[in-house]
Amino acid sequence: MNKIVKKNLSPYIALLFIILVVYLISGIGNKVNKLSYSEFQKNLKDNKVVELSISPNSEGSTYNIEGKLEGYDNNETFYVVAPLSDDTLNYINEMQEKNNFTLDVSADPASSSLMKFIFNILPYILLGGLLLWFFNKQVSNNNKSMDFGKSRAKLQEDKNKVTFKDVAGLSEEKEELEELIEFLKDPKKFTKMGARIPKGVLLVGQPGTGKTLLAKAVAGEANAPFYFISGSDFVELFVGIGASRVRDMFRQAKQTAPCLIFIDEIDAVGRQRGTGLGGGHDEREQTLNQLLTEMDGFGRNEGIIIIAATNRPDVLDPALLRPGRFDRQITVSLPDAKGREEILEVHARDKILAKDVKLSNIAKRTVGFSGADLENLLNEAALLAVRRGKNEITMSEIDEAQDRVIAGPAKKSRKYTEHEKKVVAYHEAGHAVVGIKLDGANDVQKITIIPRGMAGGYNLMLPKEETYMSTKKELLESISGFLGGRVSEELVFNEVTTGAHNDFERATKIARSMVTEYGMSSLGPVQLEHQESSVFLGRDYNKSRNFSDAVALEIDEEVRKIISEQYEITKKIISKNRDLLDLIANALIEYETLTKEQIDYLVEHGKMPEEEVKEESTLKELKEKAKELGIKGYSKLNKEELEKEIKNYKKD
């Protein structure tokens, strides 16, 4: 705020300084008395002269005499023109010797002219220049305050260049954009064949998938001018400003064609017109109309390629998506396991990883992560390593970072009662048992009963394999996996808690989609609900109902039937595997967190890896003790038999 005040006051301070200089130079307030030569001589004789300054004028015909008399104020002087002769100087010298006043004689006319220029003319020149600068500054400030219609698009600098080497996991998307790069490098190659390069490319995908990074890489690879702007930069309070900025942006781009224009979040300005709800804004519609005209209207924009990005293509105006404008749509999807590994390799370049950290394993455990999520994962792991005073990033930090990204930091200060801890342990163990016993259920990658975010426990469940479609069997078994926690609570404690509310939400969503969208119920292969194209009515009104109230009742009954049947199936699975449920739950109570490797080991061996190592160490000690005592056949005895033999030997 202080900087803004100083900036606003600076012109006025400069103006005050100019006025002060003018006051001093022009002698405003000084009194000059013009005397005749005879009056001057009389004052010399009467010894009234205090000081005197003599200089010849530029013409060399007279003397200019200035000085002070007795009784004069500080700002009062006199001025006399005297004949240019030796008699005049001799007379003044005689009076000076007699009366002893201050005398200054300049006998060089050239020197006098120079001094006169310096003291009398040069200040006015400087003053005029200062005034000219001041007024130019004011005019330029006024112009800046009126540049609403200027484009806000910025030209990317070379130091920020990004290439395809910096973009990982988007192989198909990069291939689609190769044509744009070739066109920008050699346009004649296409025009010779009569081919027209797409005027616009729309990048569609979820947030964080790399749409903006991909656009930067295209500009870096093509080594062409790259203008970037956000869709919200066009929208202003005043109607018509956005359209003016669009015109100015294309005018600048034409001067540097061939070039690229990147519009990020184009849905801010490209929403459907005429909706009447939430989208009827004259400024936005005029801006969109101007953009449509510039892209494909009567005028031609040769060599200008527009790349736009959005994660909401459903709200864009159809005129914006027709051929001739955004000719090509490229969907930037979430990366698969191979793509995630490549992205992790890019973001791990400047990080110190431990030798046991394998990026391929991390990629398999991060299903559904975008490129931005993976970057955040490694960054959080690096921060944790520094916080713990380590010299490298280990799997411990990466596991904790993944939990932070998904569910938030652990609530270590939140304490369970013993009963609550046991309930949460059995709840999470129920999910694990169903995941282990059903092929179609999600595989449990990690279980913890340490509270995170709003959840009392955290269960990382991922599909056993990444697929692009799901069978009815897999969906039903996924529902069973979500119901495992509630079933476990009911069987073990004969009561239920509120901990399964999120499980029910996800299970019900799958069941309703099976009935209304996938045609996987007794109602038949009919789509009863679908996403409505009108996006301005709010999320609660997004689904379109194509059924009567009677069918609505049948849908509710089918959903309830699916949930109830899977609940009974889940109850049978957990009842049949009660020993496994107790084993996992007790391990959770003791260790609080179990990884997939520990769960698999626990299922196979019936104990934790640490317990087996401990038992092997104890068995080795017992065998050494039996050997010292001379017990025969000690090598074939187990732990319990050795303890019994050693105990009996000591009694004997």
Side-chain angles (χ1 to χ4, degrees), residues 123-300:
Y124 290 100
I125 295 175
L126 295 176
L127 179 61
L130 190 60
L131 285 170
L132 184 62
W133 171 83
F134 174 75
F135 286 116
N136 286 337
K137 187 76 173 176
Q138 290 297 102
V139 171
S140 64
N141 288 338
N142 290 335
N143 289 337
K144 286 181 180 178
S145 64
M146 298 298 293
D147 67 345
F148 295 115
K150 297 292 183 182
S151 172
R152 296 291 190 267
K154 298 178 181 178
L155 186 64
Q156 185 188 23
E157 299 178 2
D158 290 339
K159 63 181 180 180
N160 298 324
K161 182 180 289 188
V162 178
T163 64
F164 279 159
K165 293 181 180 179
D166 303 306
V167 182
L170 299 173
S171 303
E172 294 80 5
E173 290 81 355
K174 286 189 284 188
E175 290 178 4
E176 286 289 322
L177 294 170
E178 285 288 345
E179 285 182 356
L180 301 183
I181 297 171
E182 292 182 15
F183 173 77
L184 292 171
K185 289 181 177 179
D186 186 12
K188 294 181 180 179
K189 177 181 177 181
F190 293 86
T191 57
K192 182 179 179 181
M193 295 294 295
R196 180 182 63 81
I197 202 70
K199 292 184 178 181
V201 176
L202 183 64
L203 301 178
V204 179
Q206 297 184 28
T209 50
K211 300 183 292 296
T212 304
L213 184 65
L214 199 58
K216 290 181 181 179
V218 172
E221 290 288 336
N223 197 23
F226 178 72
Y227 296 91
F228 59 94
I229 189 172
S230 172
S232 58
D233 287 332
F234 293 109
V235 183
E236 276 287 354
L237 173 66
F238 306 104
V239 177
I241 297 300
S244 177
R245 288 179 179 174
V246 171
R247 288 191 295 269
D248 189 63
M249 179 181 69
F250 277 88
R251 180 187 59 79
Q252 293 181 25
K254 288 176 184 177
Q255 296 173 358
T256 57
C259 65
L260 283 166
I261 298 176
F262 176 63
I263 305 176
D264 200 7
E265 304 299 341
I266 194 173
D267 52 89
V269 70
R271 291 189 178 187
Q272 296 178 23
R273 296 165 293 177
T275 56
L277 291 170
H281 190 278
D282 288 339
E283 164 62 6
R284 183 180 287 111
E285 289 193 3
Q286 286 196 22
T287 306
L288 175 58
N289 291 338
Q290 187 63 45
L291 181 61
L292 296 174
T293 304
E294 292 289 345
M295 289 187 69
D296 188 25
F298 277 99
R300 302 186 68 182

Side-chain angles (χ1 to χ4, degrees), residues 162-447:
V162 178
T163 64
F164 279 159
K165 293 181 180 179
D166 303 306
V167 182
L170 299 173
S171 303
E172 294 80 5
E173 290 81 355
K174 286 189 284 188
E175 290 178 4
E176 286 289 322
L177 294 170
E178 285 288 345
E179 285 182 356
L180 301 183
I181 297 171
E182 292 182 15
F183 173 77
L184 292 171
K185 289 181 177 179
D186 186 12
K188 294 181 180 179
K189 177 181 177 181
F190 293 86
T191 57
K192 182 179 179 181
M193 295 294 295
R196 180 182 63 81
I197 202 70
K199 292 184 178 181
V201 176
L202 183 64
L203 301 178
V204 179
Q206 297 184 28
T209 50
K211 300 183 292 296
T212 304
L213 184 65
L214 199 58
K216 290 181 181 179
V218 172
E221 290 288 336
N223 197 23
F226 178 72
Y227 296 91
F228 59 94
I229 189 172
S230 172
S232 58
D233 287 332
F234 293 109
V235 183
E236 276 287 354
L237 173 66
F238 306 104
V239 177
I241 297 300
S244 177
R245 288 179 179 174
V246 171
R247 288 191 295 269
D248 189 63
M249 179 181 69
F250 277 88
R251 180 187 59 79
Q252 293 181 25
K254 288 176 184 177
Q255 296 173 358
T256 57
C259 65
L260 283 166
I261 298 176
F262 176 63
I263 305 176
D264 200 7
E265 304 299 341
I266 194 173
D267 52 89
V269 70
R271 291 189 178 187
Q272 296 178 23
R273 296 165 293 177
T275 56
L277 291 170
H281 190 278
D282 288 339
E283 164 62 6
R284 183 180 287 111
E285 289 193 3
Q286 286 196 22
T287 306
L288 175 58
N289 291 338
Q290 187 63 45
L291 181 61
L292 296 174
T293 304
E294 292 289 345
M295 289 187 69
D296 188 25
F298 277 99
R300 302 186 68 182
N301 291 316
E302 298 294 341
I304 301 176
I305 299 175
I306 299 180
I307 301 178
T310 182
N311 51 14
R312 302 178 63 192
D314 53 320
V315 308
L316 296 181
D317 194 278
L320 200 61
L321 304 178
R322 73 156 174 81
R325 287 180 179 136
F326 283 104
D327 306 80
R328 184 175 298 177
Q329 290 190 34
I330 299 177
T331 302
V332 185
S333 307
L334 291 172
D336 56 10
K338 182 181 178 182
R340 291 194 296 272
E341 184 177 355
E342 294 174 357
I343 293 171
L344 288 168
E345 289 175 355
V346 171
H347 295 304
R349 289 174 184 170
D350 58 343
K351 293 178 175 60
I352 304 174
L353 300 177
K355 294 182 179 179
D356 62 333
V357 175
K358 294 183 179 179
L359 298 179
S360 57
N361 293 338
I362 301 174
K364 293 176 182 177
R365 295 168 48 186
T366 50
V367 179
F369 274 48
S370 66
D373 292 331
L374 295 171
E375 180 186 12
N376 189 32
L377 171 67
L378 291 183
N379 184 61
E380 286 287 343
L383 292 174
L384 285 170
V386 174
R387 191 181 304 171
R388 295 174 179 178
K390 295 185 178 182
N391 297 323
E392 56 186 8
I393 302 172
T394 65
M395 281 303 300
S396 175
E397 284 75 44
I398 291 176
D399 286 339
E400 175 64 21
Q402 184 176 0
D403 294 341
R404 282 171 169 265
V405 171
I406 295 176
K411 304 287 186 180
K412 296 181 180 180
S413 59
R414 188 187 299 175
K415 299 297 182 182
Y416 284 128
T417 64
E418 289 299 322
H419 178 70
E420 284 179 328
K421 187 175 183 179
K422 190 174 182 180
V423 170
V424 173
Y426 270 94
H427 179 98
E428 302 300 338
H431 291 303
V433 170
V434 178
I436 292 168
K437 295 301 178 180
L438 292 180
D439 295 333
N442 289 339
D443 202 5
V444 178
Q445 298 289 327
K446 185 176 184 179
I447 313 174

